[in-house]
Amino acid sequence: MFRVLVVVAAALALACGGTEAAKLDRLAVNQAQFGVGPPKGVNPAILKAQILLDRARFSPGLINGRLSENFARAVSAFQAANGFPSDGKLTQDTWDRLMATSASPVLIAYEVTRKDVRGRFTKRIPTRMERMARLPRLGYRNTVERLAERFHISEQLLRRLNPDAGFGRAGATLMVPDVGRGDPPAAVASVEVDKGARLVRVLDPSGRWLAIYPASIGSDEKPAPSGMAEIKRVVHNPTYHYDPRFAFKGVKTKRPFTIAAGPNNPVGSVWIDLSIESYGIHGTPEPGKIGATFSHGCIRLTNWDAEDLASMVQKGTRVNFKDETADAGVKLAD
């Protein structure tokens, strides 16, 4: 369904011409207007909308300035929360309401620090999990990856926004998304995992949405559970323990092993443990695949969305697995 929405949105909201080489700088993005920009590739208006959606906790996943299924999901959720038809089309009314959520510029200047460039990097990370287990840490590969994750943006777009920047030099000034989401909401009642929509929603006691995140949820090989669960604990910077009973494709060993902690660990930077054995909500080393691929049964979010969720929940928070999409009439919390 969302593939159709992306195509429709492209035709309806971005009908004006343009090219992939359209100007992309702080002024062009901060002053972007509805319907202006190239119909394909990186679009300043789409980039602006993605950053504002992220800020409002209607997460589009990886910010890349392009039309995508996750962007359509975020637009649809924002529309439903604001009383618009929730079809995922970035209409003028949707745009106007989104612009009203925040008056702050979406791109800001950021000065690279010594900590950014002197971190514990892991330059080469193998693809096979057995070989990952030989490493002492699964850290960021370099400064670009670290900064891209901090600002929820693709590495390619971060480089394009800063073509002449010295990413490895402390003191360099970069243009980055301002994705400050503010303090986490206090009135969290439950978490809803919508397997059909590939979304995780955070609800208040009245059922209103406090946050929406795109997710990769289970697979035919190992489907996500159904029914109710509870959160047992939150583990930051987790290690990953492989049990041969999982029998993941591509893993040949019959022995258990442990992969060291780090943001490029298979479960990312945080693990939210559920009351259903071996299942959890967690981060990922590959944010661009969220919502577009399946998982090994668990609920996979971008690292930043998983950390945001972890800041809201506590032991005993209910988690409801839904096999059908939620009612589009749910409204945004005040």
Side-chain angles (χ1 to χ4, degrees), residues 115 199 214 277:
K115 184 177 180 181
L199 290 172
E277 184 180 2

Side-chain angles (χ1 to χ4, degrees), residues 3-15 34 46 67 71-72 75 87-91:
R3 287 187 176 87
V4 175
L5 293 180
V6 168
V7 173
V8 172
L12 180 64
L14 302 172
F34 172 76
I46 295 299
L67 291 166
F71 177 65
V75 170
D87 54 10
K89 301 173 185 177
L90 187 58
T91 62

